[in-house]
Amino acid sequence: MKSIKVPQSFIHPLFYQEEDVVSSKSDLFYYDMMALLNERAERPWKKGSETPFKVFQNEKEEIRELFRRRKKEDVKELMKSSIGQFITFLFWMNHLPVPGFRNFSEHVASLEIKPFNVEERLSFVMQKPYQYVSYMQLDELFTEANKQAKVNALIKRK
């Protein structure tokens, strides 16, 4: 796979720093960055992929257990990944790529399908990503977003 430098619009203290590189489909926002740079033809958001939701479902019990055992250092990477997966899910369920983090709040506010008060709730989670209350909020956001994505899919089928 081709390695690319993370585009400036995706630099965010929680996810990527200056000079970071992505090279794998498993890297956060990989497809979105590739689309931004016109590097790949794959556009998983066009189908409203549930992959980010499924990734979180597979990791959430491990995160809960790490918090329960007070393993804050061990939970950091999983929480960072889960927050990134939620952001991906939020945009992909609207059939849009993640636009990066410039004007992020405005991009989130403009989404048609989203959980109630997602801007404030996601902002809280991103500001305090390694707290148990943020994990609980993230779990609720995923649950609400998944329900809305399913309802929207049913409405569009009719």
Side-chain angles (χ1 to χ4, degrees):
M1 285 227 166
K2 182 178 181 182
S3 292
I4 61 152
K5 184 179 172 198
V6 173
Q8 194 63 38
S9 61
F10 280 87
I11 300 297
H12 185 280
L14 185 58
F15 303 111
Y16 292 108
Q17 313 303 313
E18 298 282 339
E19 306 302 321
D20 279 352
V21 173
V22 293
S23 59
S24 164
K25 292 179 180 182
S26 63
D27 290 329
L28 288 175
F29 316 119
Y30 173 82
Y31 290 103
D32 312 277
M33 288 184 222
M34 290 296 170
L36 177 71
L37 300 171
N38 293 315
E39 291 286 335
R40 293 183 65 94
E42 281 179 90
R43 306 286 194 258
W45 53 85
K46 291 201 179 212
K47 294 181 245 167
S49 176
E50 287 188 0
T51 302
F53 176 76
K54 291 175 183 174
V55 169
F56 178 71
Q57 292 304 304
N58 290 334
E59 294 177 345
K60 78 180 204 175
E61 289 309 316
E62 182 179 356
I63 296 170
R64 184 186 309 265
E65 182 60 24
L66 288 170
F67 273 118
R68 190 187 71 72
R69 294 184 8 226
R70 303 206 189 302
K71 301 275 188 174
K72 283 205 173 202
E73 282 305 308
D74 296 342
V75 84
K76 285 184 176 181
E77 280 304 308
L78 283 171
M79 277 299 289
K80 180 174 88 170
S81 170
S82 295
I83 294 165
Q85 293 295 340
F86 177 74
I87 292 168
T88 300
F89 186 53
L90 185 62
F91 281 89
W92 288 13
M93 72 182 199
N94 282 277
H95 304 283
L96 296 168
V98 176
F101 295 99
R102 285 196 187 126
N103 304 315
F104 184 69
S105 295
E106 290 84 7
H107 288 296
V108 172
S110 71
L111 294 173
E112 182 182 325
I113 308 162
K114 60 188 174 190
F116 182 71
N117 284 342
V118 69
E119 299 92 341
E120 295 85 7
R121 294 163 71 192
L122 182 56
S123 175
F124 173 81
V125 169
M126 291 174 73
Q127 288 172 10
K128 300 176 188 258
Y130 311 125
Q131 293 184 3
Y132 183 74
V133 68
S134 294
Y135 160 73
M136 295 302 296
Q137 188 66 249
L138 186 62
D139 189 25
E140 286 299 314
L141 284 167
F142 262 113
T143 300
E144 290 173 34
N146 189 49
K147 285 178 186 175
Q148 289 181 335
K150 289 184 185 303
V151 167
N152 190 58
L154 286 172
I155 291 169
K156 288 198 178 205
R157 265 193 232 150
K158 290 184 178 183

